[in-house]
Every structure is written in C-alpha cells, then in structure tokens.
C-alpha cells in the first residue's frame, strides 16, 4: 500500500456500495446497526422502518445450503479486469469498490462488478457447517438488479489477492490506496460450479430480489490473513442463516 491513508465516514455496504443509493450517506446520518445484541441482527427490523424486511422478509439471506436440487444451471462467465484501487474499513467489514469495466455474464445478461467485501465466519453455511471467511462480490445489471457471487475460504495456503488488500490493519473509518489495482479474479476458484438461490442483502435494509451464486469450491487463506481481517473488526460480522421458506436451492 502507498502512504495514502485517511479517516473516512462511510455508509453501510448495503446502502451505497451495492448501488442502492445514488449518493453516499455518512455513517453519522444513517441509523446505526451492528452485529451485537442491542443493535444486531435480531434488532435490525425495529431500528428503522426502512429495515422491516430484516424481520418480515420471506426471501432473506444468508441460508444453509442443503437439500439442493440438481439441475442444469447456466455457466458463469467472468471477465474481470484489475479494478480495486482502494480498500476501506467501514466498521462493518473491509471493502474494496471496483472501477467499471468488469463483468459477470449469466443467461446472456451482463452484471458489472461494483465492490467486494468479507465476512467472518461465513454467512451462508453448507449442510450446517460454516467457513472461516466468505467473500461477497456484488454486481448489478443495467436495471439495477443485484447478483452476489459468494466464495468460501478455508485456512490453508496464503491468498495473493488478500495479501494485496490488507497489507496492514485498517481501523474503522480508515481508507487506504493500494500500490496497484487488484484483480478480483484471484478471489474465484477455478471450477465455476455453484449453488443458486433467490435472496436478499445480508445487512440492513435487507432488500430482497438479490440473485445469489455461491461457488461450490472454497478458496484458501492463511491463518495470519484470517487473523488480520478479524483484528480489524470488533467481532464476528456474520448475519445468522435465515429460514428458507418456500425457496429451492439449485445446483
């Protein structure tokens, strides 16, 4: 990273970086939420009327991936260019916004990569088992429809992309510029098999209508990388799994 580091008040990932607001909202102006007891997931729905879907939504994320239906899912085509130049700690996660020009193609529809961020432990689970970390790569199409590619991480070999992203800890509100633009391709496993389900944002306002694409093959990160990420937060930043209700998980 270069010497460029500064404090910054940043809106929540679900409101600004996922493209749901056209202008940033400073954290001081937004309703504060977190992952604790008083303002955590169990309380999100009552913190603000705009967050009601967190409590009464029927297609909420994350979910436990089990009893999935075998089907012929369309291939995912990734065309990513180096595009992550800055990384920041918004108090809820460590996130990197992405420059325009990188696409995911699904069913002939093109989604632009907008940002990626991380959760530890994982939010989605597989047969009731969580993973040490999960990356969310957030995309939107020309109509504003969202598609999130989720990648699980196991402790193992060092991940080169993560080494570029957090070379040194960032405190809440800090932003840092990377030495060279990072290519998010390094966060994706080689096999592109995936689970698919309809869900929501996993943070307030928990907006539904999000297409979730969870990669079957996990990636690895070192224990040092995992500890570094966890040390930048005040505790776990995962929303508990939500009821599947009438939804079907496809694979």
């Amino acid at each position: 990273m270069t010497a460029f580091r500064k404090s910054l008040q940043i809106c929540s990932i679900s409101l600004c970086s996922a493209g749901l607001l056209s202008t940033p909202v400073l954290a001081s102006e937004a309703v504060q939420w977190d992952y604790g007891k008083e303002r955590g997931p169990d309380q999100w729905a009552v913190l603000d009327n705009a967050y009601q879907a967190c409590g009464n939504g029927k297609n909420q994320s994350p979910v436990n991936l089990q009893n999935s239906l075998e089907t012929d899912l369309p291939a995912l085509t990734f065309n990513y260019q180096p595009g992550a130049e800055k990384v920041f700690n918004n108090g809820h996660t460590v996130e990197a916004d992405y420059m325009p020009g990188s696409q995911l193609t699904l069913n002939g529809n093109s989604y632009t990569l907008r940002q990626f961020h991380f959760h530890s432990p994982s939010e989605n689970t597989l047969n009731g088992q969580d993973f040490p970390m999960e990356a969310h790569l957030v995309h939107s199409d020309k109509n504003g429809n969202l598609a999130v590619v989720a990648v699980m991480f196991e402790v193992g070999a060092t991940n080169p992309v993560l080494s570029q992203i957090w070379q040194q800890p960032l405190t809440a509100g800090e932003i840092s510029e990377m030495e060279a633009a990072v290519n998010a391709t390094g966060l994706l496993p080689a096999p592109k098999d995936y689970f698919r389900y309809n869900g929501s944002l996993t943070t307030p306002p928990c907006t539904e209508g999000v297409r979730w694409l969870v990669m079957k093959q996990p990636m690895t990160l070192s224990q040092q990388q995992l500890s570094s990420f966890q040390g930048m937060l005040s505790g776990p930043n995962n929303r508990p799994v939500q009821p599947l209700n009438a939804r079907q998980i496809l694979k």
Side-chain angles (χ1 to χ4, degrees):
M1 295 183 183
T2 66
F4 180 79
R5 292 164 63 89
K6 65 179 182 180
S7 295
L8 186 68
Q9 287 184 310
I10 300 171
C11 65
S12 75
I13 55 176
S14 60
L15 295 177
C16 296
S17 298
L20 298 183
L21 291 181
S22 58
T23 56
V25 176
L26 293 179
S28 59
E29 297 175 355
V31 175
Q32 297 297 304
W33 56 269
D34 55 36
Y35 292 95
K37 292 184 178 181
E38 295 184 0
R39 311 183 76 84
D42 289 342
Q43 305 300 320
W44 287 349
V46 299
L47 293 178
D48 191 289
N49 286 336
Y51 300 168
Q52 289 185 6
C54 299
N56 60 25
K58 300 301 182 183
N59 297 303
Q60 290 290 292
S61 296
V63 300
N64 180 33
L65 301 163
Q66 64 178 2
N67 301 323
S68 52
L69 179 65
E70 188 79 44
T71 186
D72 188 19
L73 289 175
L76 302 178
T77 302
F78 295 92
N79 184 16
Y80 287 173
Q81 308 299 320
E85 294 184 320
K86 297 177 183 178
V87 62
F88 57 88
N89 179 343
N90 63 17
H92 301 136
T93 187
V94 176
E95 178 181 323
D97 287 340
Y98 222 79
M99 295 185 297
S102 294
Q103 270 74 42
L104 159 68
T105 303
L106 173 63
N107 278 342
N109 193 27
S110 181
Y111 296 83
T112 298
L113 178 59
R114 302 298 183 184
Q115 54 104 329
F116 59 81
H117 61 270
F118 305 90
H119 296 270
S120 180
S122 68
E123 296 200 298
N124 293 289
T125 60
L126 179 61
N127 297 320
Q129 180 66 46
D130 61 22
F131 289 77
M133 194 175 78
E134 179 177 351
H136 290 167
L137 294 90
V138 183
H139 307 71
S140 66
D141 67 11
K142 62 182 180 181
N143 296 316
N145 298 308
L146 297 180
V148 178
V149 174
V151 182
M152 304 300 185
F153 282 79
E154 298 176 323
V155 173
T158 298
N159 184 282
V161 170
L162 298 182
S163 295
Q164 292 178 277
I165 295 170
W166 52 72
Q167 292 182 11
Q168 49 190 317
L170 294 173
T171 59
E174 248 190 331
I175 184 171
S176 181
E177 185 175 282
M178 287 175 270
E179 294 177 353
V182 169
N183 193 327
T185 300
L187 298 175
L188 299 173
K192 298 300 188 290
D193 297 331
Y194 64 100
F195 299 98
R196 175 173 169 176
Y197 74 92
N198 293 323
S200 72
L201 298 175
T202 65
T203 58
C206 305
T207 306
E208 295 186 342
V210 178
R211 179 170 291 173
W212 278 85
L213 311 163
V214 184
M215 308 305 292
K216 290 183 179 180
Q217 179 68 38
M219 296 289 283
T220 63
L221 80 168
S222 69
Q223 181 60 54
Q224 182 179 9
Q225 289 178 317
L226 178 62
S227 298
S228 178
F229 172 74
Q230 293 173 335
M232 288 186 270
L233 304 174
S234 58
N237 70 332
N238 64 309
R239 185 189 191 192
V241 295
Q242 302 298 300
L244 194 58
N245 296 320
R247 289 175 289 174
Q248 181 68 60
I249 299 171
L250 306 179
K251 65 178 180 179

